[in-house]
Amino acid sequence: MKQSMTFIPTLREVPADADIKSHQLLLRAGYMRQNASGIYSYLPLASIVLRKIEQIVREEMNRAGSAELLMPAMQQAELWQESGRWYTYGPELMRMKDRHSREFALGATHEEVITSLVRDEVKSYKRLPLNLYQIQSKFRDEQRPRFGLLRGREFIMKDAYSFHASFDSLDEVYEKMFQAYSNIFSRCGLNFRAVIADSGAMGGKDTHEFMVLSDVGEDTIAYSDTSQYAANIEMAPVINKYEKSSEAVHELEKVETPNQKTIEEVASYLNTPKEKLIKSLLFKADEKFVLVLVRGDHEVNDIKIKNLFGASVVELASIEETAQAIGVVPGYVGPVGVSSDVEVVADIAVQAIVNGVCGANEVNYHYTGVNIERDAHISQFADVRFIEEGDLSPDGQGVIQFAKGIEVGHVFKLGTRYSEAMNATYLDENGRAQPMIMGCYGIGVSRTLAAIVEQYNDEKGIVWPSAVAPFHVHLISANAKNDDQAQLSEKIYSELTEAGYEVLYDDRNERAGVKFADSDLIGIPVRVVIGKQAAEGIVEVKIRKTGEGMEVAASELNATIQNLLS
């Protein structure tokens, strides 16, 4: 491709609203442009990279036994109402009506559509298992789109769905998909970890996220410092053991704590370590009020609360709801004497607190001498806090450390969550109707592009891995007006193209410095410069990743590039 005939609008300045490297570089290097908040046009270079990522995805998905199809982006509300998600998915689902006032949604995901398709066409166990995938734009009305392609409102995704007659079959395909994903991200050159995850609004269990390690990641990975254990921080269980101190047990006493609401304020005012304070937070698990207790230096994990109660939605109660259910505003809430209408659950660490401190359910007052099993009615002690760095690894090997990660893939075992809701059944060997067992597997294709740039860049621009680079070679004619350089450039362009290399040929009438700066920004693995030694048949070859340069005879260029790319 001749650069004068394509569209690569590079920028010298960093765009003011681009906060992270991938966003900055993809804009500066002319890969994309913003149309609206969270919505981008992919320009020619990005389009090529996306196709290469998609090709890797297709090859590995096909190898794993999945067949490609394409479903509509506009989805009938009735399908989402069948599954129940029309009412629970939230404001991220883009909804609309047609001219006949029929309701639709722009596809954020396609469980409902694929389930209805397979339900209507597959009737017998003989047609199972079945594994189908598509690559398509998805739409989510993010409240705060940011970080370029990492959190947008329109994005490209590969989503796959499998249907089974047994859980053993689901397990087998899940492992194939897990391996396919590992192959995909390895082929893209990414440094990633597969971590235990929460399924969120998708439903199901036994899920893994594929996380690209990056300081700009919005997710925190908890991993062992000595083993392969890794999990999303929301899903990592705490296995620490706690022993009660041998100090004498005190009587419960109400003390005045004027205007002391936070853990830090109360701990300082009463000269008590935060480990002895009992943090009490009121949650709504679906429509049920639950008072959750954790140690003052710990944080409540709402995902663990959701899983503990099997709830669809868990959220912190509002100030008004807290006042109504407990009788006091947040800051003074505690478990002593709460109404029996409010279930109280406590983290395991709370059980070991002797002579603790908690809110007295009265403004400006707290209790001291709190011994939770004596002074409050606890329905159960459970692991309901976030794991922390330094905690024991859940696999018993080493201690936990944290890293940031960008989620680029997610695999789920959905079970019968959608098939039962939507009556997707098959006839088994005995002619009895059974719900199909499902799996779901997603990859953020456009997000993967951004994640690659996050890991592959330097102070000059992008540094693409060869497998996904828009071109293999950036051929630059230093002076397009020089006849020797122009002739040799055309000759090499023709030869390299015929040899099967993808070549971007910078034939523009620009200064050499401009061309070199653009080349560094764009990040193609090998640069070939036709310069002052063109008449002698000598060219300069430069490796983008290392900056290493060499002079090569034009007759040896093909072999040199082959060695460098391999």
Side-chain angles (χ1 to χ4, degrees):
M1 170 64 72
K2 291 188 176 182
Q3 202 158 333
S4 62
M5 299 177 66
T6 188
F7 184 45
I8 309 174
T10 57
L11 302 172
R12 290 289 162 256
E13 301 298 324
V14 177
D17 59 346
D19 298 323
I20 62 173
K21 276 290 185 181
S22 61
H23 193 190
Q24 294 169 0
L25 291 174
L26 289 170
L27 289 171
R28 287 188 58 214
Y31 281 79
M32 68 183 194
R33 286 294 182 265
Q34 180 173 302
N35 297 91
S37 178
I39 302 173
Y40 294 87
S41 290
Y42 301 104
L43 306 187
L45 290 178
S47 182
I48 296 170
V49 176
L50 287 169
R51 287 201 302 271
K52 290 193 173 186
I53 297 171
E54 290 173 3
Q55 184 58 29
I56 291 172
V57 170
R58 286 189 170 96
E59 289 172 4
E60 295 297 338
M61 291 299 295
N62 294 345
R63 185 176 293 119
S66 192
E68 187 173 5
L69 79 168
L70 185 61
M71 291 177 278
M74 285 187 64
Q75 304 180 21
Q76 295 170 285
E78 288 84 354
L79 294 178
W80 285 71
Q81 289 162 357
E82 280 188 59
S83 72
R85 289 205 299 174
W86 185 257
Y87 311 101
T88 62
Y89 196 91
E92 288 79 19
L93 186 64
M94 289 190 171
R95 307 162 199 251
M96 66 194 72
K97 292 182 180 181
D98 69 7
R99 66 178 66 195
H100 305 292
S101 295
R102 291 176 296 208
E103 291 186 298
F104 289 83
L106 282 179
T109 182
H110 274 70
E111 282 76 15
E112 284 79 6
V113 175
I114 194 69
T115 301
S116 68
L117 276 173
V118 175
R119 171 188 66 189
D120 295 342
E121 301 298 332
V122 175
K123 304 299 182 183
S124 170
Y125 72 94
K126 296 178 181 179
R127 296 284 305 279
L128 301 175
L130 181 64
N131 191 346
L132 303 168
Y133 78 95
Q134 66 171 353
I135 298 175
Q136 188 203 57
S137 289
K138 293 287 194 291
F139 306 87
R140 291 178 191 166
D141 194 4
E142 294 283 354
Q143 183 175 11
R144 189 185 168 206
R146 57 179 181 155
F147 294 165
L149 300 182
L150 293 186
R151 185 165 293 280
R153 294 195 291 168
E154 179 180 345
F155 52 95
I156 300 171
M157 182 176 175
K158 188 283 301 175
D159 47 324
Y161 308 90
S162 62
F163 297 82
H164 309 267
S166 72
F167 282 98
D168 286 343
S169 174
L170 172 59
D171 291 344
E172 182 180 344
V173 170
Y174 186 90
E175 289 303 318
K176 288 182 179 179
M177 291 293 100
F178 189 99
Q179 186 59 54
Y181 276 38
S182 298
N183 295 345
I184 288 165
F185 298 125
S186 294
R187 288 179 62 183
C188 288
L190 288 166
N191 179 18
F192 69 94
R193 293 286 290 268
V195 304
I196 301 166
D198 176 61
S199 58
M202 306 291 290
K205 60 179 183 177
D206 295 336
T207 78
H208 286 83
E209 290 173 341
F210 287 78
M211 293 282 196
V212 171
L213 302 185
S214 171
D215 290 338
V216 304
E218 295 184 286
D219 294 291
T220 301
I221 302 167
Y223 68 95
S224 168
D225 63 350
T226 61
S227 74
Q228 291 299 308
Y229 178 84
N232 190 300
I233 189 175
E234 299 169 332
M235 294 300 293
V238 178
I239 65 169
N240 292 20
K241 303 296 183 183
Y242 305 93
E243 292 186 7
K244 289 186 177 182
S245 74
S246 58
E247 65 187 279
V249 174
H250 298 168
E251 292 298 316
L252 186 69
E253 181 182 358
K254 184 189 290 186
V255 298
E256 188 173 9
T257 52
N259 298 315
Q260 309 300 304
K261 295 181 180 181
T262 69
I263 291 294
E264 290 74 16
E265 290 171 345
V266 176
S268 176
Y269 187 81
L270 297 178
N271 194 26
T272 302
K274 290 193 291 184
E275 292 84 351
K276 280 212 165 191
L277 269 63
I278 299 170
K279 186 185 299 183
S280 306
L281 297 173
L282 186 68
F283 285 84
K284 284 181 68 177
D286 293 335
E287 294 304 314
K288 177 180 181 178
F289 283 119
V290 180
L291 186 63
V292 182
L293 314 181
V294 295
R295 216 167 67 178
D297 59 331
H298 294 158
E299 298 295 332
V300 176
N301 185 331
D302 57 338
I303 297 298
K304 290 182 178 178
I305 298 297
K306 178 175 76 81
N307 293 335
L308 183 66
F309 287 94
S312 298
V313 178
V314 167
E315 56 188 1
L316 197 63
S318 66
I319 294 174
E320 294 76 18
E321 289 170 330
T322 302
Q324 180 181 357
I326 305 294
V328 71
V329 296
Y332 303 101
V333 173
V336 179
V338 299
S339 167
S340 58
D341 294 334
V342 178
E343 183 171 352
V344 183
V345 299
D347 185 70
I348 295 167
V350 173
Q351 196 170 15
I353 295 177
V354 177
N355 301 324
V357 175
C358 72
N361 296 325
E362 182 179 345
V363 173
N364 293 330
Y365 285 90
H366 280 76
Y367 281 121
T368 61
V370 178
N371 292 279
I372 201 70
E373 291 176 284
R374 180 196 69 187
D375 299 324
H377 179 70
I378 309 299
S379 67
Q380 59 180 314
F381 291 93
D383 170 23
V384 295
R385 75 167 174 92
F386 279 106
I387 201 167
E388 295 180 343
E389 286 190 289
D391 284 337
L392 297 175
S393 177
D395 65 354
Q397 301 180 51
V399 298
I400 285 297
Q401 295 183 350
F402 286 170
K404 290 292 186 180
I406 300 167
E407 181 191 344
V408 290
H410 207 157
V411 291
F412 305 81
K413 292 181 182 178
L414 292 175
T416 57
R417 156 76 173 84
Y418 293 92
S419 55
E420 287 185 345
M422 300 182 69
N423 196 31
T425 62
Y426 68 95
L427 296 180
D428 65 14
E429 297 93 328
N430 301 312
R432 296 173 182 165
Q434 303 287 352
M436 296 180 190
I437 300 165
M438 292 177 59
C440 171
Y441 321 91
I443 287 178
V445 176
S446 49
R447 180 177 271 230
T448 297
L449 183 151
I452 294 170
V453 176
E454 283 296 331
Q455 287 193 339
Y456 287 89
N457 68 79
D458 61 20
E459 70 281 358
K460 295 181 180 180
I462 303 170
V463 186
W464 288 108
S466 296
V468 293
F471 295 91
H472 299 130
V473 177
H474 202 169
L475 176 63
I476 297 175
S477 177
N479 183 358
K481 295 180 179 179
N482 181 282
D483 290 340
D484 290 333
Q485 293 183 28
Q487 289 174 14
L488 185 57
S489 296
E490 291 288 345
K491 181 175 183 291
I492 289 176
Y493 176 55
S494 178
E495 290 175 349
L496 292 179
T497 302
E498 289 178 6
Y501 295 109
E502 297 163 351
V503 182
L504 179 63
Y505 172 23
D506 193 344
D507 61 333
R508 297 175 298 164
N509 186 21
E510 285 281 4
R511 291 181 293 107
V514 171
K515 294 183 178 184
F516 297 156
D518 282 351
S519 181
D520 285 334
L521 258 181
I522 292 168
I524 294 168
V526 177
R527 178 196 298 176
V528 176
V529 179
I530 315 300
K532 294 180 180 179
Q533 293 179 281
E536 291 80 39
I538 303 296
V539 302
E540 180 187 338
V541 177
K542 187 174 183 179
I543 304 168
R544 177 64 183 89
K545 182 177 181 180
T546 65
E548 178 187 356
M550 64 195 79
E551 292 182 349
V552 176
S555 59
E556 299 174 359
L557 184 58
N558 193 329
T560 301
I561 292 173
Q562 187 175 15
N563 289 335
L564 293 175
L565 292 177
S566 63

